[in-house]
Amino acid sequence: MIRVKLKAWTASFRFPTFQSGYQPILPVPPPSTIQGILSAAKGEPIYLTGLPYMGYVFRSEGIGVDLERIYALGKVETDIIRREFHYNAELYLYLPDEWEKIFRKPRYQLLMGRSSDIATVEEIRRVDLEEKEAVLGGTVVPVELGIPGIVHALVVEFDYTSTPRKARLVKPFIILPYPRTRAERKRQTAKAFYDPDLDSGVYLHRWSK
């Protein structure tokens, strides 16, 4: 498989249940964001259920809060909201070999969330991952894995054959932030693939089964 490293100054993953007011973000990208990145790279809609496997690890240097002016349609007055964002973000994608050619020359701009969160491809390399007990983080895993954490229903992929797009598959996931303490590393340990370069576990999703 290959590992694609993306970098961005900022990243934003909208918290699905917050529609107005203070805008928190998810600590990791939902699968639908990965679908968007793969679709932009290839230049056509990609469905994660059509891939044999896909994994990812996200980490950033922290979370900041920005002020954003909102212009509502049909209203003269504006509003100011506080919006969270990740800064100095890195996203590692684990994909089948055929994606190397696609990420060498992405068709459209790659985004880590909003249109201002522009990402660049920093590295593509082949990796061999060993299956063992490893620390998972910066990703989402199935509830069935039994790791304690925040459970959230997230869109795996959208159906782009209709406008507006509709959720095609929604599943519950445990959201695992990138671990930064010994307690988090211990709590988020499970049998998974291990990437020695990152010293991180990698959970490979296989929605094609």
Side-chain angles (χ1 to χ4, degrees):
M1 75 177 68
I2 63 163
R3 185 185 69 201
V4 180
K5 179 183 179 182
L6 303 179
K7 288 202 72 172
W9 287 346
T10 60
S12 307
F13 313 120
R14 192 175 69 84
F15 213 102
T17 54
F18 282 75
Q19 299 296 330
S20 61
Y22 186 85
Q23 298 288 304
I25 53 173
L26 293 173
V28 303
S32 57
T33 295
I34 308 301
Q35 181 196 16
I37 291 173
L38 298 185
S39 298
K42 191 167 184 180
E44 61 184 62
I46 296 298
Y47 294 98
L48 300 185
T49 50
L51 300 180
Y53 61 84
M54 181 281 294
Y56 62 94
V57 174
F58 172 83
R59 61 189 183 186
S60 71
E61 292 188 12
I63 292 178
V65 179
D66 196 10
L67 297 178
E68 186 173 86
R69 174 172 289 178
I70 300 297
Y71 294 88
L73 290 174
K75 293 183 178 180
V76 177
E77 68 271 17
T78 62
D79 197 4
I80 303 294
I81 65 168
R82 292 162 60 86
R83 184 177 64 79
E84 294 182 349
F85 64 93
H86 294 276
Y87 61 90
N88 288 343
E90 296 177 341
L91 176 63
Y92 296 85
L93 300 173
Y94 298 83
L95 297 163
D97 292 348
E98 55 265 31
W99 282 87
E100 178 174 359
K101 183 179 179 181
I102 295 169
F103 274 98
R104 291 285 178 197
K105 193 175 182 181
R107 178 71 182 276
Y108 297 116
Q109 186 62 60
L110 307 178
L111 305 173
M112 283 200 211
R114 297 158 59 100
S115 59
S116 57
D117 302 321
I118 298 172
T120 57
V121 178
E122 184 162 292
E123 179 188 65
I124 302 174
R125 61 180 301 181
R126 295 181 184 273
V127 292
D128 292 316
L129 305 184
E130 177 187 0
E131 194 168 11
K132 57 185 287 188
E133 289 288 316
V135 180
L136 291 162
T139 189
V140 298
V141 297
V143 175
E144 296 77 20
L145 205 59
I147 298 178
I150 301 172
V151 178
H152 213 298
L154 298 173
V155 176
V156 173
E157 61 185 16
F158 285 100
D159 184 352
Y160 286 98
T161 61
S162 61
T163 304
R165 66 181 186 180
K166 295 180 181 178
R168 180 164 152 168
L169 177 63
V170 179
K171 294 181 74 68
F173 292 99
I174 299 170
I175 297 175
L176 298 179
Y178 196 82
R180 301 187 185 280
T181 67
R182 181 180 297 179
E184 289 172 336
R185 292 179 63 84
K186 183 178 180 181
R187 187 169 59 243
Q188 296 179 191
T189 297
K191 190 171 184 181
F193 291 94
Y194 177 68
D195 186 338
D197 292 340
L198 303 185
D199 187 23
S200 175
V202 179
Y203 186 86
L204 296 182
H205 296 277
R206 302 177 190 273
W207 289 299
S208 59
K209 289 184 178 178

mmCIF file of all heavy atoms in Angstrom, residues 25-54:
data_model
loop_
_atom_site.group_PDB
_atom_site.id
_atom_site.type_symbol
_atom_site.label_atom_id
_atom_site.label_comp_id
_atom_site.label_asym_id
_atom_site.label_seq_id
_atom_site.Cartn_x
_atom_site.Cartn_y
_atom_site.Cartn_z
ATOM 1 N N ILE A 25 -15.240 22.003 16.380
ATOM 2 C CA ILE A 25 -14.845 21.099 15.295
ATOM 3 C C ILE A 25 -14.571 19.715 15.863
ATOM 4 O O ILE A 25 -14.301 19.554 17.055
ATOM 5 C CB ILE A 25 -13.582 21.605 14.557
ATOM 6 C CG1 ILE A 25 -12.449 21.873 15.562
ATOM 7 C CG2 ILE A 25 -13.897 22.821 13.720
ATOM 8 C CD1 ILE A 25 -11.139 22.219 14.912
ATOM 9 N N LEU A 26 -14.643 18.731 15.005
ATOM 10 C CA LEU A 26 -14.258 17.379 15.386
ATOM 11 C C LEU A 26 -12.740 17.310 15.492
ATOM 12 O O LEU A 26 -12.025 17.987 14.736
ATOM 13 C CB LEU A 26 -14.750 16.375 14.351
ATOM 14 C CG LEU A 26 -16.261 16.182 14.233
ATOM 15 C CD1 LEU A 26 -16.584 15.282 13.039
ATOM 16 C CD2 LEU A 26 -16.836 15.587 15.503
ATOM 17 N N PRO A 27 -12.218 16.474 16.400
ATOM 18 C CA PRO A 27 -10.758 16.371 16.529
ATOM 19 C C PRO A 27 -10.093 15.637 15.369
ATOM 20 O O PRO A 27 -8.880 15.723 15.203
ATOM 21 C CB PRO A 27 -10.592 15.593 17.846
ATOM 22 C CG PRO A 27 -11.869 14.861 18.024
ATOM 23 C CD PRO A 27 -12.944 15.707 17.407
ATOM 24 N N VAL A 28 -10.885 14.925 14.576
ATOM 25 C CA VAL A 28 -10.337 14.188 13.427
ATOM 26 C C VAL A 28 -11.313 14.322 12.259
ATOM 27 O O VAL A 28 -12.502 14.589 12.461
ATOM 28 C CB VAL A 28 -10.138 12.691 13.748
ATOM 29 C CG1 VAL A 28 -9.223 12.526 14.951
ATOM 30 C CG2 VAL A 28 -11.460 12.008 14.014
ATOM 31 N N PRO A 29 -10.860 14.126 11.033
ATOM 32 C CA PRO A 29 -11.790 14.209 9.901
ATOM 33 C C PRO A 29 -12.755 13.024 9.883
ATOM 34 O O PRO A 29 -12.349 11.894 10.163
ATOM 35 C CB PRO A 29 -10.869 14.203 8.677
ATOM 36 C CG PRO A 29 -9.601 13.590 9.146
ATOM 37 C CD PRO A 29 -9.458 13.932 10.596
ATOM 38 N N PRO A 30 -14.013 13.261 9.553
ATOM 39 C CA PRO A 30 -14.947 12.149 9.354
ATOM 40 C C PRO A 30 -14.629 11.456 8.028
ATOM 41 O O PRO A 30 -13.954 12.036 7.160
ATOM 42 C CB PRO A 30 -16.312 12.841 9.299
ATOM 43 C CG PRO A 30 -16.013 14.207 8.789
ATOM 44 C CD PRO A 30 -14.651 14.564 9.332
ATOM 45 N N PRO A 31 -15.107 10.234 7.842
ATOM 46 C CA PRO A 31 -14.831 9.540 6.573
ATOM 47 C C PRO A 31 -15.281 10.333 5.341
ATOM 48 O O PRO A 31 -14.638 10.260 4.291
ATOM 49 C CB PRO A 31 -15.629 8.238 6.718
ATOM 50 C CG PRO A 31 -15.669 7.992 8.192
ATOM 51 C CD PRO A 31 -15.792 9.356 8.808
ATOM 52 N N SER A 32 -16.365 11.095 5.460
ATOM 53 C CA SER A 32 -16.846 11.841 4.297
ATOM 54 C C SER A 32 -15.828 12.886 3.829
ATOM 55 O O SER A 32 -15.777 13.223 2.640
ATOM 56 C CB SER A 32 -18.188 12.513 4.605
ATOM 57 O OG SER A 32 -18.075 13.357 5.734
ATOM 58 N N THR A 33 -15.021 13.413 4.747
ATOM 59 C CA THR A 33 -13.964 14.346 4.336
ATOM 60 C C THR A 33 -12.912 13.615 3.504
ATOM 61 O O THR A 33 -12.393 14.152 2.515
ATOM 62 C CB THR A 33 -13.303 14.990 5.567
ATOM 63 O OG1 THR A 33 -14.271 15.794 6.242
ATOM 64 C CG2 THR A 33 -12.122 15.866 5.165
ATOM 65 N N ILE A 34 -12.605 12.380 3.892
ATOM 66 C CA ILE A 34 -11.661 11.588 3.100
ATOM 67 C C ILE A 34 -12.257 11.310 1.717
ATOM 68 O O ILE A 34 -11.545 11.355 0.706
ATOM 69 C CB ILE A 34 -11.343 10.253 3.822
ATOM 70 C CG1 ILE A 34 -10.912 10.525 5.267
ATOM 71 C CG2 ILE A 34 -10.267 9.502 3.046
ATOM 72 C CD1 ILE A 34 -9.704 11.408 5.414
ATOM 73 N N GLN A 35 -13.567 11.036 1.674
ATOM 74 C CA GLN A 35 -14.221 10.844 0.378
ATOM 75 C C GLN A 35 -14.046 12.093 -0.496
ATOM 76 O O GLN A 35 -13.763 11.994 -1.694
ATOM 77 C CB GLN A 35 -15.717 10.557 0.564
ATOM 78 C CG GLN A 35 -16.444 10.325 -0.748
ATOM 79 C CD GLN A 35 -17.962 10.419 -0.631
ATOM 80 O OE1 GLN A 35 -18.496 10.936 0.345
ATOM 81 N NE2 GLN A 35 -18.667 9.899 -1.627
ATOM 82 N N GLY A 36 -14.203 13.266 0.115
ATOM 83 C CA GLY A 36 -14.051 14.507 -0.644
ATOM 84 C C GLY A 36 -12.635 14.686 -1.176
ATOM 85 O O GLY A 36 -12.437 15.110 -2.321
ATOM 86 N N ILE A 37 -11.650 14.371 -0.353
ATOM 87 C CA ILE A 37 -10.252 14.517 -0.783
ATOM 88 C C ILE A 37 -9.938 13.554 -1.929
ATOM 89 O O ILE A 37 -9.305 13.935 -2.926
ATOM 90 C CB ILE A 37 -9.316 14.275 0.429
ATOM 91 C CG1 ILE A 37 -9.450 15.425 1.431
ATOM 92 C CG2 ILE A 37 -7.861 14.136 -0.032
ATOM 93 C CD1 ILE A 37 -8.706 15.200 2.733
ATOM 94 N N LEU A 38 -10.377 12.295 -1.801
ATOM 95 C CA LEU A 38 -10.104 11.325 -2.859
ATOM 96 C C LEU A 38 -10.819 11.710 -4.152
ATOM 97 O O LEU A 38 -10.268 11.556 -5.254
ATOM 98 C CB LEU A 38 -10.544 9.925 -2.413
ATOM 99 C CG LEU A 38 -9.848 9.331 -1.177
ATOM 100 C CD1 LEU A 38 -10.299 7.892 -0.942
ATOM 101 C CD2 LEU A 38 -8.341 9.388 -1.303
ATOM 102 N N SER A 39 -12.041 12.229 -4.011
ATOM 103 C CA SER A 39 -12.803 12.629 -5.201
ATOM 104 C C SER A 39 -12.132 13.803 -5.903
ATOM 105 O O SER A 39 -12.051 13.844 -7.134
ATOM 106 C CB SER A 39 -14.239 12.990 -4.806
ATOM 107 O OG SER A 39 -14.901 11.881 -4.241
ATOM 108 N N ALA A 40 -11.642 14.764 -5.105
ATOM 109 C CA ALA A 40 -10.957 15.919 -5.693
ATOM 110 C C ALA A 40 -9.670 15.471 -6.386
ATOM 111 O O ALA A 40 -9.335 15.972 -7.463
ATOM 112 C CB ALA A 40 -10.652 16.940 -4.611
ATOM 113 N N ALA A 41 -8.959 14.551 -5.772
ATOM 114 C CA ALA A 41 -7.698 14.098 -6.364
ATOM 115 C C ALA A 41 -7.944 13.398 -7.697
ATOM 116 O O ALA A 41 -7.219 13.622 -8.672
ATOM 117 C CB ALA A 41 -6.979 13.162 -5.394
ATOM 118 N N LYS A 42 -8.983 12.571 -7.748
ATOM 119 C CA LYS A 42 -9.223 11.817 -8.984
ATOM 120 C C LYS A 42 -10.043 12.595 -10.012
ATOM 121 O O LYS A 42 -10.004 12.305 -11.208
ATOM 122 C CB LYS A 42 -9.931 10.503 -8.659
ATOM 123 C CG LYS A 42 -9.980 9.546 -9.844
ATOM 124 C CD LYS A 42 -10.378 8.159 -9.459
ATOM 125 C CE LYS A 42 -10.304 7.215 -10.680
ATOM 126 N NZ LYS A 42 -10.696 5.840 -10.329
ATOM 127 N N GLY A 43 -10.801 13.586 -9.528
ATOM 128 C CA GLY A 43 -11.581 14.385 -10.457
ATOM 129 C C GLY A 43 -12.944 13.811 -10.745
ATOM 130 O O GLY A 43 -13.596 14.223 -11.716
ATOM 131 N N GLU A 44 -13.408 12.913 -9.913
ATOM 132 C CA GLU A 44 -14.735 12.318 -10.066
ATOM 133 C C GLU A 44 -15.162 11.750 -8.717
ATOM 134 O O GLU A 44 -14.307 11.489 -7.856
ATOM 135 C CB GLU A 44 -14.732 11.201 -11.107
ATOM 136 C CG GLU A 44 -13.822 10.053 -10.751
ATOM 137 C CD GLU A 44 -13.749 8.999 -11.851
ATOM 138 O OE1 GLU A 44 -13.296 9.354 -12.956
ATOM 139 O OE2 GLU A 44 -14.129 7.849 -11.587
ATOM 140 N N PRO A 45 -16.485 11.575 -8.489
ATOM 141 C CA PRO A 45 -16.929 11.059 -7.187
ATOM 142 C C PRO A 45 -16.356 9.676 -6.892
ATOM 143 O O PRO A 45 -16.391 8.779 -7.739
ATOM 144 C CB PRO A 45 -18.456 10.991 -7.341
ATOM 145 C CG PRO A 45 -18.771 11.999 -8.393
ATOM 146 C CD PRO A 45 -17.623 11.930 -9.361
ATOM 147 N N ILE A 46 -15.806 9.556 -5.710
ATOM 148 C CA ILE A 46 -15.262 8.285 -5.221
ATOM 149 C C ILE A 46 -16.116 7.828 -4.042
ATOM 150 O O ILE A 46 -16.460 8.626 -3.166
ATOM 151 C CB ILE A 46 -13.797 8.456 -4.771
ATOM 152 C CG1 ILE A 46 -12.924 8.832 -5.968
ATOM 153 C CG2 ILE A 46 -13.280 7.183 -4.114
ATOM 154 C CD1 ILE A 46 -12.886 7.784 -7.064
ATOM 155 N N TYR A 47 -16.435 6.552 -4.014
ATOM 156 C CA TYR A 47 -17.222 6.013 -2.912
ATOM 157 C C TYR A 47 -16.343 5.072 -2.094
ATOM 158 O O TYR A 47 -15.750 4.130 -2.651
ATOM 159 C CB TYR A 47 -18.472 5.315 -3.442
ATOM 160 C CG TYR A 47 -19.407 6.307 -4.101
ATOM 161 C CD1 TYR A 47 -19.415 6.474 -5.492
ATOM 162 C CD2 TYR A 47 -20.218 7.117 -3.325
ATOM 163 C CE1 TYR A 47 -20.245 7.422 -6.076
ATOM 164 C CE2 TYR A 47 -21.047 8.067 -3.911
ATOM 165 C CZ TYR A 47 -21.067 8.213 -5.282
ATOM 166 O OH TYR A 47 -21.866 9.158 -5.864
ATOM 167 N N LEU A 48 -16.270 5.334 -0.800
ATOM 168 C CA LEU A 48 -15.374 4.556 0.057
ATOM 169 C C LEU A 48 -15.791 3.096 0.116
ATOM 170 O O LEU A 48 -14.960 2.224 0.376
ATOM 171 C CB LEU A 48 -15.345 5.162 1.471
ATOM 172 C CG LEU A 48 -14.869 6.623 1.558
ATOM 173 C CD1 LEU A 48 -14.779 7.071 3.017
ATOM 174 C CD2 LEU A 48 -13.526 6.816 0.867
ATOM 175 N N THR A 49 -17.076 2.815 -0.096
ATOM 176 C CA THR A 49 -17.531 1.425 -0.123
ATOM 177 C C THR A 49 -17.000 0.690 -1.359
ATOM 178 O O THR A 49 -17.137 -0.527 -1.456
ATOM 179 C CB THR A 49 -19.065 1.360 -0.113
ATOM 180 O OG1 THR A 49 -19.582 2.226 -1.140
ATOM 181 C CG2 THR A 49 -19.624 1.798 1.235
ATOM 182 N N GLY A 50 -16.425 1.423 -2.291
ATOM 183 C CA GLY A 50 -15.858 0.790 -3.479
ATOM 184 C C GLY A 50 -14.368 0.512 -3.355
ATOM 185 O O GLY A 50 -13.773 -0.077 -4.267
ATOM 186 N N LEU A 51 -13.760 0.945 -2.239
ATOM 187 C CA LEU A 51 -12.324 0.725 -2.046
ATOM 188 C C LEU A 51 -12.108 -0.561 -1.255
ATOM 189 O O LEU A 51 -12.864 -0.871 -0.331
ATOM 190 C CB LEU A 51 -11.704 1.897 -1.272
ATOM 191 C CG LEU A 51 -11.807 3.285 -1.904
ATOM 192 C CD1 LEU A 51 -11.143 4.305 -0.994
ATOM 193 C CD2 LEU A 51 -11.179 3.311 -3.277
ATOM 194 N N PRO A 52 -11.054 -1.316 -1.564
ATOM 195 C CA PRO A 52 -10.775 -2.530 -0.786
ATOM 196 C C PRO A 52 -10.403 -2.218 0.658
ATOM 197 O O PRO A 52 -10.680 -2.990 1.564
ATOM 198 C CB PRO A 52 -9.616 -3.179 -1.550
ATOM 199 C CG PRO A 52 -8.997 -2.068 -2.339
ATOM 200 C CD PRO A 52 -10.113 -1.139 -2.686
ATOM 201 N N TYR A 53 -9.756 -1.086 0.880
ATOM 202 C CA TYR A 53 -9.422 -0.630 2.241
ATOM 203 C C TYR A 53 -9.013 0.837 2.184
ATOM 204 O O TYR A 53 -8.659 1.369 1.129
ATOM 205 C CB TYR A 53 -8.301 -1.475 2.858
ATOM 206 C CG TYR A 53 -6.997 -1.434 2.086
ATOM 207 C CD1 TYR A 53 -6.074 -0.408 2.274
ATOM 208 C CD2 TYR A 53 -6.701 -2.429 1.157
ATOM 209 C CE1 TYR A 53 -4.888 -0.372 1.562
ATOM 210 C CE2 TYR A 53 -5.521 -2.393 0.439
ATOM 211 C CZ TYR A 53 -4.616 -1.367 0.655
ATOM 212 O OH TYR A 53 -3.445 -1.336 -0.067
ATOM 213 N N MET A 54 -9.060 1.462 3.324
ATOM 214 C CA MET A 54 -8.631 2.859 3.450
ATOM 215 C C MET A 54 -8.400 3.143 4.930
ATOM 216 O O MET A 54 -9.199 2.758 5.788
ATOM 217 C CB MET A 54 -9.710 3.800 2.900
ATOM 218 C CG MET A 54 -9.367 5.292 2.966
ATOM 219 S SD MET A 54 -9.603 6.049 4.585
ATOM 220 C CE MET A 54 -11.372 5.918 4.766
#
